[in-house]
């Protein structure tokens, strides 16, 4: 995994104020948020997008990955972008991240990447972690997506 320092950026989209990995609740909650993102065409409602990439962000951790946290799906936008009713903006702070690329069939490859991450000792900071879905993730049979983990 590569370590890199990323600058602060702003995202706009929809959020889940709290979920947990206990009893696989997050799989249900986050899956439902993705369904809402697609069904309500949230992507097309986001103004001033800086790219076509979609971000899924894990933040506001109340401990490690076994404790409650918040979840967000959206796109990178200008800091000055006006937020339409029903959408939210978050700032992902500048931080040092480890980058892991998940490859394979979606969404299994990303779930498998997280299982590997949870079993490893990477010195995670549990600040803001995120996935980036770009052109490489369009073919769900042979997809790639990047997972960024904040580290100490």
């Amino acid at each position: 995994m590569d370590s890199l320092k990323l600058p602060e950026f702003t995202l706009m989209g929809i959020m889940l104020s709290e979920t947990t990995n206990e009893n696989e609740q997050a799989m249900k909650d986050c899956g439902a948020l993705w369904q809402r993102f697609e069904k309500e065409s949230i992507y097309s409602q986001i103004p001033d997008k800086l790219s076509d990439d979609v971000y899924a962000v894990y933040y506001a951790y109340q401990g490690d990955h076994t404790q409650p946290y918040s979840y967000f799906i959206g796109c990178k936008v200008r800091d000055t972008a006006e937020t339409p009713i029903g959408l939210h903006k978050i700032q992902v702070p500048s931080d040092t991240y480890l980058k892991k690329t998940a490859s394979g069939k979606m969404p299994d490859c990303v779930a498998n990447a997280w299982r590997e991450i949870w079993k490893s000792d990477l010195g995670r900071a549990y600040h803001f972690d995120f996935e980036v879905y770009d052109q490489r993730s369009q073919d769900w049979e042979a997809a790639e997506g990047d997972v960024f983990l904040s580290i100490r």
Side-chain angles (χ1 to χ4, degrees):
M1 277 189 258
D2 300 326
S3 171
L4 57 152
K5 178 82 170 172
L6 295 179
E8 176 180 84
F9 57 92
T10 303
L11 297 174
M12 185 182 298
I14 55 176
M15 65 184 287
L16 182 61
S17 60
E18 188 175 288
T19 189
T20 178
N21 287 323
E22 189 174 341
N23 298 320
E24 299 190 350
Q25 186 61 45
M27 289 181 69
K28 297 173 199 161
D29 293 343
C30 297
L33 196 66
W34 274 106
Q35 288 178 357
R36 179 176 164 219
F37 188 81
E38 293 297 323
K39 184 178 179 184
E40 296 179 21
S41 300
I42 300 298
Y43 178 87
S44 65
Q45 297 177 41
I46 299 172
D48 298 322
K49 284 188 281 295
L50 297 176
S51 76
D52 294 333
D53 301 349
V54 175
Y55 290 70
V57 184
Y58 306 80
Y59 66 106
Y61 287 97
Q62 295 178 29
D64 64 13
H65 69 277
T66 65
Q67 301 300 308
Y69 58 88
S70 298
Y71 186 68
F72 184 93
I73 303 169
C75 299
K76 196 181 280 191
V77 297
R78 300 183 195 294
D79 295 346
T80 57
E82 292 292 321
T83 309
I85 293 172
L87 298 184
H88 301 275
K89 261 202 281 194
I90 62 170
Q91 294 289 130
V92 177
S94 174
D95 210 339
T96 302
Y97 295 90
L98 285 179
K99 177 182 167 185
K100 178 175 181 58
T101 300
S103 301
K105 186 174 180 176
M106 281 288 190
D108 300 341
C109 65
V110 174
N112 291 336
W114 279 107
R115 286 184 192 99
E116 289 175 23
I117 290 164
W118 294 333
K119 291 178 189 174
S120 60
D121 181 18
L122 300 172
R124 293 181 60 197
Y126 296 98
H127 295 159
F128 282 71
D129 300 322
F130 57 93
E131 302 154 5
V132 180
Y133 297 97
D134 56 21
Q135 292 288 56
R136 299 170 301 144
S137 60
Q138 298 300 312
D139 177 0
W140 273 45
E141 295 301 313
E144 281 191 353
D146 294 324
V147 179
F148 292 83
L149 306 166
S150 59
I151 57 172
R152 291 182 287 234

